Amino acid sequence: MCHQIPAIAINDEILARLKEIFVSTLTKWDSTLLDFNGESDYVHLIIDDKPDIALSKLIANLKTVSSRLIRKEFLDLAAKYFDNKPYFWTGAYFVASCGGVTIEQLKKYVENQNSPKVETLPR
């Protein structure tokens, strides 16, 4: 799954916090974050979820929870990148199943994403 945000806002500190949020949220859905990485304007998640979970609901929950917590914890972020509007993610996302590739191949792809190159924002 890939989430995208509308501006270059993710730095290493935010990326680390997003990972914590996603792990916690996925646990509540009886799912597991297998791998995670991102760049300054999007993140990649490899998730092991149950087949009976509606992906649209899971993704909506991940985006809602992470947006709320990131905006709460990084107050300067909303003012700097989002004109103080109450969102962090765009409405778009991409989901693909991993049929035909191994988890190791997916992890290698995610791990090879560049790290964000944005200054650290104060909390």
Side-chain angles (χ1 to χ4, degrees), residues 16-51:
R17 182 62 181 121
L18 283 169
K19 183 176 182 178
E20 293 170 357
I21 293 166
F22 291 143
V23 166
S24 173
T25 304
L26 287 166
T27 299
K28 295 171 185 170
W29 283 80
D30 197 25
S31 299
T32 306
L33 183 66
L34 299 177
D35 205 358
F36 172 82
N37 207 337
E39 295 193 19
S40 59
D41 61 348
Y42 65 89
V43 296
H44 287 273
L45 293 79
I46 298 177
I47 297 171
D48 181 17
D49 64 341
K50 305 299 177 225

Side-chain angles (χ1 to χ4, degrees), residues 1 3 18 29 31 44 51-52 101-103 105 118:
M1 171 173 41
H3 289 309
L18 283 169
W29 283 80
S31 299
H44 287 273
D52 60 339
V101 297
T102 66
I103 292 295
Q105 289 170 312
V118 177

Side-chain angles (χ1 to χ4, degrees), residues 37-89:
N37 207 337
E39 295 193 19
S40 59
D41 61 348
Y42 65 89
V43 296
H44 287 273
L45 293 79
I46 298 177
I47 297 171
D48 181 17
D49 64 341
K50 305 299 177 225
D52 60 339
I53 292 176
L55 286 179
S56 60
K57 290 182 180 180
L58 173 62
I59 293 164
N61 188 247
L62 288 169
K63 291 173 85 169
T64 299
V65 171
S66 61
S67 178
R68 180 176 37 84
L69 292 175
I70 291 296
R71 287 181 293 106
K72 179 181 175 184
E73 296 172 19
F74 297 89
L75 297 175
D76 291 348
L77 192 67
K80 185 171 183 176
Y81 294 105
F82 307 109
D83 297 323
N84 289 314
K85 297 209 168 103
Y87 61 80
F88 182 70
W89 304 109

